[in-house]
Amino acid sequence: MAVVEGEKIDIGFSGRRCMHSRNCVLGDPRVFVPNAPGQWIHPEAASVEKIVALAEACPSGAITYVRKDGGPQEQPPVVNTVRIRENGPLALHAEIVLGGETFCRATLCRCGASENKPFCDGSHAKAGFTATGEPPLKDTPALEVRDGPLTVTPTTNGPLKLEGNVEIVTGTGHTVDRTQRAFLCRCGHSANKPFCDGSHKRVGFVG
């Protein structure tokens, strides 16, 4: 991860995690300068509060920050969510525990074509992946606890295993499922997306 230091806030950027949502350059092109030939991140170009908002709007977690003004650092949400993107990835917002790291935001591949699994790298667009962001809703009871660690495990050549309190929601915010354990498709072939139906075995998914 590259870190650009500012007087009141440092901005971190992980190219490996970026899936080019462009929230940053659209949010403030003075801070995140599009198509710049050199340095493209400028912490001094906006207030600390604005930079915090821009960073936390990055769904992939590629942009992070460390405040140096005594203000609060990023905290996990009060409700863990997995948002299903239309024809695209799964956007997680939680206290995510994955691969020995803990972070708050991530976009994870569900098309099977990413070269940076389990993270999305935008390959769904090139692959012509189609999958609704509005799958059927389940009638599930509310969780007693809605936050806490969410352990994400990309199973070998199989689905994403989620363990912890989580609400799976559509692109428009309707709740698909409330659960403490789920297996989500990441091969792109399930007939029951976003959930795994075993299709990874049939298609010989490797990842």
Side-chain angles (χ1 to χ4, degrees):
M1 174 181 288
V3 176
V4 180
E5 296 188 4
E7 181 180 349
K8 297 180 180 179
I9 190 168
D10 295 342
I11 301 176
F13 176 72
S14 171
R16 178 173 175 266
R17 296 271 298 279
C18 181
M19 49 83 67
H20 306 290
S21 69
R22 302 189 70 241
N23 285 10
C24 56
V25 297
L26 293 175
D28 195 328
R30 298 168 302 172
V31 178
F32 299 98
V33 181
N35 305 315
Q39 179 59 258
W40 66 284
I41 299 175
H42 300 277
E44 74 285 350
S47 69
V48 169
E49 289 74 17
K50 179 64 179 290
I51 290 172
V52 166
L54 289 169
E56 294 188 5
C58 172
S60 69
I63 296 173
T64 56
Y65 64 87
V66 175
R67 294 183 70 150
K68 300 156 79 172
D69 64 348
Q73 306 299 337
E74 183 171 6
Q75 298 296 313
V78 295
V79 180
N80 294 341
T81 56
V82 175
R83 297 185 182 274
I84 306 163
R85 302 300 191 200
E86 185 83 11
N87 302 330
L90 300 166
L92 280 62
H93 191 200
E95 183 184 343
I96 303 163
V97 181
L98 171 60
E101 296 184 77
T102 301
F103 40 86
C104 293
R105 294 166 280 121
T107 47
L108 303 184
C109 175
R110 70 175 181 133
C111 74
S114 173
E115 295 182 4
N116 188 32
K117 299 180 183 71
F119 301 104
C120 171
D121 69 354
S123 291
H124 53 273
K126 291 180 289 185
F129 176 67
T130 58
T132 183
E134 302 287 328
L137 310 182
K138 295 183 178 181
D139 185 14
T140 52
L143 297 169
E144 291 186 11
V145 179
R146 306 173 78 187
D147 59 358
L150 180 66
T151 300
V152 179
T153 305
T155 64
T156 303
N157 302 332
L160 287 169
K161 179 171 70 172
L162 272 54
E163 297 172 293
N165 304 310
V166 66
E167 298 198 17
I168 301 170
V169 299
T170 69
T172 54
H174 299 290
T175 298
V176 175
D177 198 5
R178 302 175 180 91
T179 185
Q180 294 177 309
R181 184 180 175 89
F183 291 87
L184 303 183
C185 175
R186 68 186 188 107
C187 75
H189 290 83
S190 173
N192 188 34
K193 297 181 187 70
F195 303 102
C196 173
D197 69 355
S199 291
H200 55 275
K201 298 176 182 177
R202 172 176 56 83
V203 301
F205 173 70
V206 176

